[in-house]
Amino acid sequence: MRKIFIGILFFGATLGIKAQYGSINAVLTRLEERKGINQHLESVSIDNKKFVYIKDAEDHTERDFIIIKGKQATYVEVFDDKATGETSSNVFTGDIIRKKNIISLRADMLENKKVPIPVTKTLLLTKQDNILYLIDVNTKARWIDEASFSKK
């Protein structure tokens, strides 16, 4: 009788651990998605995609865009001055290199003129809740795919 009781207790504990493991595994998977690690997005096409980053400061609003067309990229900075209401922009063009989920952007032309120090960004492609993001590796800024929040 004692052996049967210990056997049932052991079997029940094993099932309980499996249930807890499943929920813990789901939480860890969600956290990994949020951080952008262990995602295999090599098959996701970023061709003809536009990513947006908006930063609001006290005196101005900055809107940045990355437009990817094949191996070419356009990086646009738009500054809105809150005091005067003026808008200014910089349009950089360059190229990208993609290795798995890492995208390297090098924009060396400012409005069709070569710049001595190009704008470079290293970005991590992630997907969370079916929305594509680019996370800047250095600043942790999150660029969101424009198609995910705009209606066409």
Side-chain angles (χ1 to χ4, degrees):
M1 182 73 169
R2 185 173 177 201
K3 288 182 184 179
I4 294 173
F5 179 71
I6 291 173
I8 292 172
L9 184 64
F10 178 73
F11 184 71
T14 304
L15 288 177
I17 289 172
K18 280 188 177 180
Q20 289 176 354
Y21 175 75
S23 63
I24 289 172
N25 192 31
V27 169
L28 289 175
T29 302
R30 180 81 172 151
L31 288 172
E32 286 176 349
E33 284 180 358
R34 202 170 276 165
K35 289 284 188 185
I37 54 178
N38 293 336
Q39 291 185 358
H40 303 287
L41 301 174
E42 295 88 10
S43 62
V44 174
S45 174
I46 57 169
D47 194 24
N48 295 321
K49 291 278 188 188
K50 185 178 192 180
F51 293 92
V52 181
Y53 172 67
I54 300 173
K55 181 179 178 184
D56 194 24
E58 287 184 23
D59 59 341
H60 71 282
T61 301
E62 182 178 343
R63 294 175 287 156
D64 296 343
F65 303 93
I66 295 177
I67 304 152
I68 301 172
K69 295 193 185 280
K71 298 286 183 191
Q72 300 298 314
T74 305
Y75 175 66
V76 181
E77 298 175 325
V78 180
F79 300 98
D80 296 324
D81 190 354
K82 291 181 179 178
T84 62
E86 293 180 12
T87 300
S88 62
S89 65
N90 295 320
V91 180
F92 295 92
T93 55
D95 55 355
I96 64 163
I97 297 173
R98 180 178 178 182
K99 292 191 179 180
K100 296 187 179 182
N101 294 352
I102 301 292
I103 298 167
S104 296
L105 167 70
R106 183 181 62 95
D108 58 350
M109 302 286 282
L110 173 60
E111 297 173 2
N112 296 324
K113 293 181 183 170
K114 193 93 163 162
V115 293
I117 301 174
V119 174
T120 59
K121 298 219 176 270
T122 304
L123 305 159
L124 175 65
L125 180 67
T126 62
K127 189 173 190 178
Q128 184 179 359
D129 297 330
N130 293 325
I131 299 172
L132 284 177
Y133 291 97
L134 292 177
I135 299 175
D136 192 324
V137 173
N138 298 317
T139 64
K140 305 295 186 228
R142 292 173 59 101
W143 301 70
I144 188 169
D145 182 16
E146 185 187 45
S148 66
F149 64 86
S150 64
K151 305 273 185 199
K152 291 189 177 184

